[in-house]
Amino acid sequence: MPEQSREQDGAIAATGMGGAMDLAASEATTLERASGGPGGATDTGRPRSLWSDAWRDLRRNPVFLVSALVILFLVLISLWPSAIAPGSPLSCDLAKAQDGPGPGAPFGYDGQGCNVYTRTVYGARTSVTVGVCATLGVALLGSVLGALAGFFGGVWDSVLSRGTDIFFAIPVVLGGLVLLSVVTSNTVWPVIGFMVLLGWPQISRIARGSVITVQQNDYVQAARALGASHSRILLRHIAPNAVAPVIVVATIALGTYIALEATLSYLGVGLKPPSVSWGIDISAASPYVRNAPHALLWPAGALAVTVLAFIMLGDAVRDALDPKLR
């Protein structure tokens, strides 16, 4: 028997089967280390996830880096506008009305003699506040309603679907003209409330579809079979895997809400003087654009750059979170 075993081992060695098996094992080990370990683990031993892969892609995306730097700058000047803008945005001198750039006023003066540079810097605070607060409100309300409709279905889903159809039928600008024209408050909250009121149906439909897709997965069905409660299944298993589309749409919509606030303020139903807003400045500078184009171009340019930065950020996040683009 020992002699027969030696003969078999020698036959295997002669045919090269043993060497092929050793080579395959070594290649598998090499591939496993290159991919980050078993199960797609990272170099630190942590399992790879959609969010870690997305963050890795975002850090390598120049579009994300540029837009993030622009947004970070806007946030900083919104928090501390006096650090780079001299004086008060409400301090005006009619003797300097429509004057061009000069010392202390690199953007010139508007029709009321106000420093265009100072008003442009302070206007960023209004735009960022409206955009961020409106986006958070829309994302929270729309996600909750859409997730409940997609999870439970039935009558709740039918009622929500018909309700979103009604809100989609309301033109946004026309709705703003009607609803905000009767508001006497001079703060940003009526404008934010209007945006939340008409903006949640879009997020709701996206959240509903994402929840319906995710709850068909095997791990959700396994949680149901093990007797997990509805709240645990929805919060622990479905929500973390269904929130990516909501984040993408909300990020892109943030720039849209900033543009909408400027549009409503331009039409006279959004923010009103003495509030400082790019839409107000654009509206005030429109009648004398030929004599003092700088009073219109600087706030309009700041608005365009801000909206573009948030849209670019949303596009980069979408590309990073979409598995089809990997």
Side-chain angles (χ1 to χ4, degrees):
M1 293 296 293
E3 294 178 357
Q4 184 179 1
S5 177
R6 294 193 196 97
E7 292 177 358
Q8 292 177 352
D9 292 341
I12 293 175
T15 57
M17 293 177 61
M21 293 175 64
D22 293 340
L23 179 60
S26 63
E27 289 179 348
T29 303
T30 303
L31 291 174
E32 181 178 298
R33 292 176 179 174
S35 62
T42 60
D43 295 337
T44 60
R46 299 178 180 177
R48 293 175 59 181
S49 64
L50 173 64
W51 302 105
S52 61
D53 290 344
W55 174 240
R56 182 190 60 191
D57 293 342
L58 287 174
R59 289 181 298 177
R60 302 174 181 177
N61 190 344
V63 175
F64 170 78
L65 296 177
V66 172
S67 59
L69 289 176
V70 173
I71 292 172
L72 178 61
F73 174 73
L74 290 171
V75 172
L76 291 178
I77 67 174
S78 300
L79 295 175
W80 300 285
S82 58
I84 63 172
S88 170
L90 302 179
S91 178
C92 305
D93 186 0
L94 287 176
K96 300 179 180 179
Q98 302 184 18
D99 285 354
F107 294 172
Y109 296 89
D110 61 10
Q112 300 296 322
C114 303
N115 192 326
V116 176
Y117 171 74
T118 302
R119 290 189 63 86
T120 302
V121 172
Y122 276 84
R125 171 182 292 180
T126 301
S127 296
V128 172
T129 300
V130 171
V132 171
C133 293
T135 302
L136 291 177
V138 167
L140 181 60
L141 180 60
S143 298
V144 172
L145 295 179
L148 293 177
F151 184 76
F152 292 105
V155 177
W156 175 259
D157 188 14
S158 299
V159 171
L160 182 69
S161 299
R162 301 294 76 76
T164 54
D165 292 339
I166 294 174
F167 279 95
F168 276 127
I170 302 176
V172 177
V173 177
L174 179 59
L177 291 173
V178 174
L179 296 178
L180 295 178
S181 60
V182 298
V183 176
T184 58
S185 176
N186 198 32
T187 63
V188 298
W189 300 112
V191 179
I192 294 174
F194 164 74
M195 294 181 182
V196 173
L197 179 64
L198 294 187
W200 68 266
Q202 180 186 17
I203 298 294
S204 177
R205 283 197 169 181
I206 294 173
R208 172 184 173 274
S210 183
V211 168
I212 291 176
T213 302
V214 170
Q215 70 176 347
Q216 305 300 324
N217 293 331
D218 293 338
Y219 57 86
V220 177
Q221 301 301 325
R224 292 182 189 273
L226 292 174
S229 63
H230 290 318
S231 59
R232 181 178 180 84
I233 294 174
L234 188 58
L235 297 177
R236 296 292 299 275
H237 300 285
I238 295 180
N241 297 284
V243 72
V246 174
I247 293 177
V248 172
V249 175
T251 306
I252 298 176
L254 200 154
T256 305
Y257 295 140
I258 293 177
L260 179 59
E261 178 274 323
T263 301
L264 295 175
S265 298
Y266 178 86
L267 295 175
V269 296
L271 297 178
K272 304 175 183 62
S275 298
V276 180
S277 169
W278 290 334
I280 294 176
D281 292 346
I282 294 173
S283 177
S286 297
Y288 50 88
V289 63
R290 293 185 178 181
N291 298 329
H294 57 271
L296 174 65
L297 294 179
W298 286 111
L303 175 63
V305 170
T306 302
V307 174
L308 180 61
F310 280 105
I311 292 178
M312 291 172 57
L313 180 68
D315 288 340
V317 173
R318 180 199 59 196
D319 295 341
L321 291 178
D322 192 353
K324 298 179 182 179
L325 300 178
R326 296 188 181 281

